[in-house]
Amino acid sequence: MTEKTADVKSEAYSDVQCDVMTFPPCLERVKKAGYPVSEYALRQWLKRGLIPCRFIGRKVLVSYSAVIRFLECADGGDVRPAVEPGRGPLRMIGNKSGW
């Protein structure tokens, strides 16, 4: 790579903030963005697989945008779809009057 190409490349990436980072900078960035998230909660979400991440030894790499998508419930969040009567995990068998 020539010197000119290296300078252009470094200038292009100097203003862009990295999206994938380790846990501490990600937590700090989330808190600076105004989300009231505790360290414990974020670690639990990562361990449970609710937020996609990569574990490398004892380090975790996480995408800041994935954390924000999770916090803003972009994928539907914790809201579960309504269950139709008779279609839930338990269903009524037979007629109650026959008892």
Side-chain angles (χ1 to χ4, degrees):
M1 181 169 10
T2 66
E3 187 176 319
K4 188 174 184 175
T5 308
D7 290 340
V8 171
K9 205 171 198 178
S10 65
E11 286 175 15
Y13 292 110
S14 64
D15 295 334
V16 178
Q17 228 175 358
C18 185
D19 187 50
V20 176
M21 58 192 76
T22 58
F23 181 82
C26 184
L27 178 63
E28 182 181 328
R29 191 169 165 195
V30 167
K31 286 185 175 186
K32 280 184 182 177
Y35 294 95
V37 176
S38 70
E39 179 179 348
Y40 179 79
L42 186 55
R43 284 190 189 277
Q44 290 301 307
W45 294 332
L46 294 171
K47 284 182 182 179
R48 291 180 186 165
L50 298 174
I51 302 173
C53 64
R54 295 284 182 245
F55 289 97
I56 302 170
R58 294 183 64 193
K59 286 190 177 188
V60 62
L61 293 177
V62 62
S63 168
Y64 172 75
S65 60
V67 175
I68 297 302
R69 274 195 314 274
F70 174 78
L71 292 172
E72 292 179 347
C73 299
D75 300 328
D78 294 353
V79 180
R80 296 182 184 198
V83 178
E84 295 177 30
R87 299 286 182 188
L90 300 176
R91 61 185 177 89
M92 184 172 57
I93 299 176
N95 191 349
K96 282 187 174 181
S97 62
W99 287 77

